[in-house]
Amino acid sequence: MLDIVPISRANDSDYIGIVAERLFDRYPGADRLKYVQASSGFCGYARGGIARKEIETFHIEGEKLLGARWREWGTEQSASNFAVANSKNAMTLPYPKYGNFSPGGFKPGGSFLHFIGSFRYDRDYFAHLAKKVIAELNGRGAKPR
């Protein structure tokens, strides 16, 4: 988990997931645990991958580090990233082939683009892109807006 700390400390976001990642060097046993910045939108959990007790401990320790902020929307993403990273034979999908949409951050050539909640309706990009893809699949080759 220690690898993510300097990356997150360089990010000035107040999003709870980033705030939590900045403190992971204070998490008990951080030197032996793993963490991956990923999207729960693409996540699959292996049967027997991580014990429920470990996720419960992650929650308890997260709350100790962040108090009431730990209960904000977004820490479920941190728990998901922790669960996947600490599962046996964990793997992540390659970026940007599998990525998240963010304004100005769209990477062409992706196979699967996740529109996270806060950007799903931004300037109707999701709807326009969906219409374009549907038209292409139907052989009409619509032009993007």
Side-chain angles (χ1 to χ4, degrees):
M1 282 186 14
L2 299 177
D3 293 351
I4 195 63
V5 173
I7 295 166
S8 295
R9 286 187 178 153
N11 184 336
D12 65 357
S13 172
D14 194 44
Y15 168 65
I16 190 60
I18 302 296
V19 172
E21 290 170 1
R22 289 182 197 132
L23 301 177
F24 282 167
D25 58 345
R26 295 172 37 196
Y27 187 92
D31 58 328
R32 63 175 174 75
L33 296 169
K34 298 174 187 168
Y35 186 83
V36 61
Q37 272 189 329
S39 173
S40 299
F42 300 146
C43 195
Y45 304 97
R47 181 176 294 197
I50 189 170
R52 179 181 176 138
K53 182 70 176 159
E54 289 185 64
I55 298 299
E56 290 170 351
T57 299
F58 182 78
H59 168 71
I60 291 165
E61 295 300 331
E63 199 163 41
K64 285 179 187 175
L65 290 172
L66 288 155
R69 281 217 64 196
W70 184 253
R71 297 210 175 238
E72 291 179 20
W73 172 81
T75 57
E76 74 287 348
Q77 177 74 52
S78 299
S80 175
N81 293 343
F82 174 83
V84 168
N86 290 286
S87 294
K88 186 179 177 181
N89 299 320
M91 72 167 90
T92 57
L93 298 172
Y95 179 84
K97 187 173 183 174
Y98 299 89
N100 287 332
F101 170 81
S102 61
F106 178 70
K107 306 284 189 275
S111 294
F112 193 87
L113 185 61
H114 178 227
F115 282 76
I116 60 174
S118 53
F119 299 128
R120 192 164 293 139
Y121 303 102
D122 186 55
R123 291 172 271 179
D124 289 331
Y125 194 85
F126 177 82
H128 295 299
L129 184 58
K131 288 176 184 176
K132 176 185 176 283
V133 169
I134 290 167
E136 288 174 357
L137 290 171
N138 286 330
R140 290 187 266 151
K143 296 177 184 172
R145 251 176 62 159

